[in-house]
Amino acid sequence: MTPDGRTSGPLDLVLLGPVGAGKGTQARRIAERYRVPHVASGDLLRSHRAHNTPLGQTAAEYMDRGALVPDDLVISMIIDRMRQPDANHGILLDGFPRTVAQARALDKELEAEGRSLKLALYLEVPFEVLVERAAGRWTCRTCQATYNYRVNPPRKPGLCDIDGGELYQREDDRPEVVSERIKVYLRDTVPVVDYYRDRGILREVDGTRDIEGVAGDIQRQLKATVC
Ligand code: AMP
């Protein structure tokens, strides 16, 4: 900790927020700027599904109905990822933790390595806006970048700006599944927000602003905290 209250050491961050809050878009920017790996639990699970691993097969039945994959499976998947060498200088977790049990497991793992979470950034978006946003979302099959035809369209319809990959609508972005995911969020993940608020490391960011506006707010929060 420096005299002005900022911290140094590995940059371990979590990005919290409901489905459709824009976590993925902002996470990619933070990861690039601070050179830490962006680890999205949903992307890892989708990759397991694509490779038809035992974890992918189990996860599929939960994901398709908007439920959470059991804690023990997700926790060990994330801990394995955290132990890879590219996470030695920090990690940006997106979509994890989603339950208080996951948050506690994360603290324990970081503590065992003499590390601690620097910040939990919370992207706040009113729930009315979320269903609409998720329903208009298209995802790149190869790099998982997301677009929204209203607020953030790709330059060429149907193709990713970054790698030209095909854009598709995720099965769990269907409106009825999104409603379920929001319910689960309120029940299981809002307590995680309170968990970090109680620890004094929660920073709330207005996620209703445009992408640049949100990115600017996040940048200010990070600058104020991190050396
Ligand atoms: P996401 O891409 O983050 O919206 O995640 C898609 C789906 O993957 C979720 O609806 C859950 O079924 C599952 N999932 C992702 N992250 C987690 C997590 N931390 N805990 C449990 N399930 C998760």
Side-chain angles (χ1 to χ4, degrees):
M1 182 89 71
T2 63
D4 61 3
R6 295 193 300 167
T7 59
S8 56
L11 183 57
D12 296 313
L13 301 169
V14 305
L15 191 56
L16 301 168
V19 47
K23 294 192 298 295
T25 306
Q26 298 297 338
R28 273 184 281 278
R29 290 180 170 226
I30 302 167
E32 205 169 289
R33 181 160 196 144
Y34 288 91
R35 296 175 195 282
V36 288
H38 165 210
V39 172
S41 46
D43 290 350
L44 290 180
L45 290 167
R46 280 185 286 280
S47 161
H48 275 277
R49 288 184 67 168
H51 292 96
N52 209 22
T53 67
L55 169 58
Q57 287 170 13
T58 308
E61 53 177 298
Y62 295 92
M63 295 171 79
D64 285 346
R65 57 187 163 88
L68 292 184
V69 175
D71 281 337
D72 54 336
L73 299 179
V74 179
I75 289 169
S76 53
M77 175 185 80
I78 292 290
I79 287 180
D80 280 352
R81 180 64 187 85
M82 288 171 70
R83 290 180 182 169
Q84 289 175 28
D86 66 338
N88 283 346
H89 301 294
I91 193 165
L92 170 61
L93 293 169
D94 161 9
F96 181 96
R98 261 179 161 92
T99 64
V100 172
Q102 292 179 15
R104 293 211 171 102
L106 173 62
D107 281 344
K108 207 169 140 203
E109 172 66 14
L110 288 171
E111 203 184 308
E113 293 181 25
R115 293 158 69 158
S116 68
L117 207 59
K118 295 282 185 288
L119 275 191
L121 292 159
Y122 176 37
L123 282 187
E124 282 190 287
V125 177
F127 289 102
E128 313 79 84
V129 181
L130 296 173
V131 175
E132 187 195 323
R133 275 197 187 177
R137 178 160 80 169
W138 290 73
T139 302
C140 173
R141 259 191 215 287
T142 39
C143 77
Q144 313 287 328
T146 55
Y147 299 86
N148 184 294
Y149 273 86
R150 206 167 44 79
V151 293
N152 175 31
R155 282 194 292 270
K156 285 189 196 151
L159 296 179
C160 177
D161 292 351
I162 300 165
D163 60 8
E166 182 204 357
L167 302 183
Y168 78 111
Q169 272 210 298
R170 276 168 42 184
E171 177 68 11
D172 59 350
D173 279 342
R174 284 182 295 119
E176 59 277 25
V177 183
V178 170
S179 308
E180 180 58 25
R181 290 165 73 197
I182 292 174
K183 262 192 238 156
V184 168
Y185 177 81
L186 289 171
R187 190 190 60 215
D188 295 325
T189 309
V190 167
V192 177
V193 174
D194 295 336
Y195 176 86
Y196 290 129
R197 185 180 287 117
D198 290 347
R199 284 193 28 201
I201 57 169
L202 187 79
R203 298 291 179 278
E204 292 166 74
V205 174
D206 176 2
T208 60
R209 304 183 58 196
D210 63 19
I211 291 173
E212 296 306 325
V214 175
D217 280 354
I218 291 178
Q219 182 55 22
R220 273 185 288 283
Q221 299 281 9
L222 285 171
K223 264 193 175 159
T225 310
V226 178
C227 290

